[in-house]
Amino acid sequence: MAIVSVKRPGDGVGHRHRGGGHGIRRLATLGPLLLVLGWLSVSMAAAQDDPLASWNDGSTKQSIVAFVAAVTRAGGPEYVPPAERIAVFDNDGTLWAEHPMYFQMAFAFDRAKALALQHPEWKDRQPFKAVLENDMAALAAAGEKGVVELTMATHAGVTTAEFENIVRDWFASATHPRFKRPYQELVYRPMTELLTYLRANGFKTYIVSGGGIEFMRPFTEKAYGIPPEQVVGSSIHMKFEMRDGKPVLMRLAEVDFIDDGEGKPIGIHKFIGRRPIAAFGNSDGDLEMLQWTVAGDGRRLALLVHHTDAEREYAYDRSSSVGRLDRALDEAEQRGWTIVDMKRDWKAVFPNQ
Amino acid sequence: MAIVSVKRPGDGVGHRHRGGGHGIRRLATLGPLLLVLGWLSVSMAAAQDDPLASWNDGSTKQSIVAFVAAVTRAGGPEYVPPAERIAVFDNDGTLWAEHPMYFQMAFAFDRAKALALQHPEWKDRQPFKAVLENDMAALAAAGEKGVVELTMATHAGVTTAEFENIVRDWFASATHPRFKRPYQELVYRPMTELLTYLRANGFKTYIVSGGGIEFMRPFTEKAYGIPPEQVVGSSIHMKFEMRDGKPVLMRLAEVDFIDDGEGKPIGIHKFIGRRPIAAFGNSDGDLEMLQWTVAGDGRRLALLVHHTDAEREYAYDRSSSVGRLDRALDEAEQRGWTIVDMKRDWKAVFPNQ
């Protein structure tokens, strides 16, 4: 499948390496001076190889770099041992796009359309009728109950192994309606740089998302370098069964856990069992995760991505039905949390853009 | 607090290092030959430094070593990349003792006695009356309902931070009725060696236990080298609350998840999201975890600890009410899983024994 790699040739990382190469070749023409100047070319390459190259210089980038410097400075007053360097990231709207609808909702739509062949009754029944007719107003009218029904019909009734294959197949074929690219390529390049930067500084990076845990796990390792065991998300119940003498886990149409809002600190405590020292979100659903993170002792980083860039991505906050940022924006301003202004702070939004 | 370390001076590891030192000093007397023989002393030290020194030689130890050799041999037909080297361990009866009662039950008894001062009505009410009078027959008569009520009364109604302190305080003071040692010193030395050996070979080691996840996390790092984020266990629900402007997680008297029997593969899939390649248990509650582990493709290791040593620890299996090993023993024998005969296979059971 065509999952994007954060290190694919042609992205910013490769470009910077080529730049460094030119510098070294220029130095080589100086002949004997090369040996003496060797250390200099190394120093120059290091300076050019900014791990946060997609971030414009300014207070936002500075707050990230200053935090990492403080907690990694051995012997410093704010030093944190590597085992406790836990960083948690929301996914939708924080690591990848979430408009015009959550990508998992687009998956549910496509899956409902594929399953409709086996469910002729859906063409007259909400919320399925709305999905089959692309009638967003009717779907909205079906409310939360309709969304839960759609989710269960499209996410349950199969084994965990079957569901993983269904998700992988969808990622391999579906494309975003505006950007015409596979969804897994709509990850934010500055954020994948940030993940890599934190891990290079001894952090363990986790996703803590309202999205389905089994919808995310098939792509997080390739897209973000985050392995399945570091993904926390919403879930439905499972049942252990023997099928032809082999054990399977059946996915049941019952909600187990909603990892959103007040659920995020609970998910963190249940899955990780340590309080993070850094938390990254973009909406009111992330507020309690940020509150929980900063309530610990010592230096902390709380960051919100504010979508301010209608041209390169989207601009939305207080009145958006997807990824609303209202209470959390007030609290971030009041408490001095770091707020990313996407338009101002990010040199690029997506890979290869 | 006096939590035992697997590397404390005086245990088998330190002893072997001293043995290696004697060998090197003897070689040094040979003078010029030292340089030539240097490689030999290194080889000898490696051979003497058996990472599984508390295991007697035999088919059990051999099956473990052969498995690890096979999955770590680069280019070999059974090679498994490090990221997929997941090993899961039951806790009670597999990593530490569980008789005469689960240690968490001893904690619940002690906690109930402490809380009884605030609950004068308990002296006339089961199951509390049974606990306060150490009346095991009456407690057994109260059945599962009684155990759940006792568990909720002693594990809920406090914040997660308060509960962690309560557990730490208990471990610092309580001792085992037969061995007169702190409970956290009743870990099995051969098993802590095995954990260390697996990690040295690139494995990620997890606990997957029916025990309470928050009862285990305060001691697993020091006792087993297993950090909180690699502990899977049973849990009760939590609630996010603001207390004096600070967020807390309140522990509620409602079961969330029972990580036992059919729950273990579910816990593994939910928390880890990968199928383990090695699983270690000791009772029927571990059977589905072992079935789930061996159902994956490629080389697998399934191991049961059989308690056969009444003198050094306990001897029990098919008829024990704590840690019953019956169906799982049949299936292990039938499928050729590795069965540890504690009396035959273990040189020592506990540290410093």
Side-chain angles (χ1 to χ4, degrees), chain A residues 83 86 160-161 164 204 206 213-214 217 221 227-231 235 237-242 245-249 256 262-263 265-275 288-289 291-292 294-297 331 335, chain B residues 83 86 160-161 164 204 206 213-214 217 221 227-231 235 237-242 245-249 256 262-263 265-275 288-289 291-292 294-297 331 335:
Chain A
I86 303 286
T160 53
E164 182 178 333
K204 204 162 176 178
Y206 281 83
I213 191 165
E214 298 206 44
R217 279 174 168 162
E221 179 119 49
E229 62 267 30
Q230 285 162 231
V231 178
S235 57
H237 279 292
M238 292 175 265
K239 187 175 184 309
F240 179 91
E241 284 179 11
M242 281 291 176
K246 282 267 191 181
V248 297
L249 297 177
D256 173 21
E262 297 187 349
I266 292 171
I268 288 169
H269 193 72
K270 181 153 66 170
F271 281 73
I272 309 175
R274 300 188 200 256
R275 195 190 300 257
E288 288 84 357
M289 175 169 80
Q291 290 171 333
W292 179 248
V294 301
D297 295 330
E331 187 152 337
R335 300 178 67 164
Chain B
I86 303 287
T160 53
E164 183 179 331
K204 203 163 176 178
Y206 281 84
I213 192 166
E214 298 204 44
R217 280 174 167 161
E221 180 119 49
E229 62 267 30
Q230 285 161 230
V231 177
S235 56
H237 279 292
M238 290 174 266
K239 187 174 184 309
F240 179 91
E241 285 178 10
M242 281 290 176
K246 282 265 190 183
V248 296
L249 297 177
D256 173 21
E262 297 187 349
I266 292 170
I268 288 168
H269 192 73
K270 182 154 63 170
F271 280 74
I272 310 176
R274 301 187 200 256
R275 195 190 299 259
E288 288 83 357
M289 175 169 80
Q291 290 171 334
W292 178 250
V294 301
D297 295 330
E331 188 153 335
R335 301 178 69 164

Side-chain angles (χ1 to χ4, degrees), chain A residues 132-152:
Chain A
L132 300 179
E133 296 171 357
N134 293 311
D135 182 350
M136 294 302 113
L139 185 68
E144 191 184 318
K145 186 171 163 290
V147 170
V148 170
E149 195 176 356
L150 174 64
T151 304
M152 293 308 170

Side-chain angles (χ1 to χ4, degrees), chain A residues 231-310:
Chain A
V231 178
V232 179
S234 298
S235 57
I236 57 180
H237 279 292
M238 292 175 265
K239 187 175 184 309
F240 179 91
E241 284 179 11
M242 281 291 176
R243 190 182 276 186
D244 303 328
K246 282 267 191 181
V248 297
L249 297 177
M250 281 299 299
R251 289 169 57 78
L252 307 182
E254 299 163 19
V255 171
D256 173 21
F257 177 58
I258 301 293
D259 189 47
D260 195 37
E262 297 187 349
K264 289 203 176 194
I266 292 171
I268 288 169
H269 193 72
K270 181 153 66 170
F271 281 73
I272 309 175
R274 300 188 200 256
R275 195 190 300 257
I277 63 168
F280 304 83
N282 78 297
S283 77
D284 285 355
D286 302 313
L287 177 56
E288 288 84 357
M289 175 169 80
L290 271 60
Q291 290 171 333
W292 179 248
T293 299
V294 301
D297 295 330
R299 182 84 175 242
R300 305 277 152 163
L301 177 64
L303 180 149
L304 284 174
V305 175
H306 189 189
H307 293 258
T308 54
D309 194 334

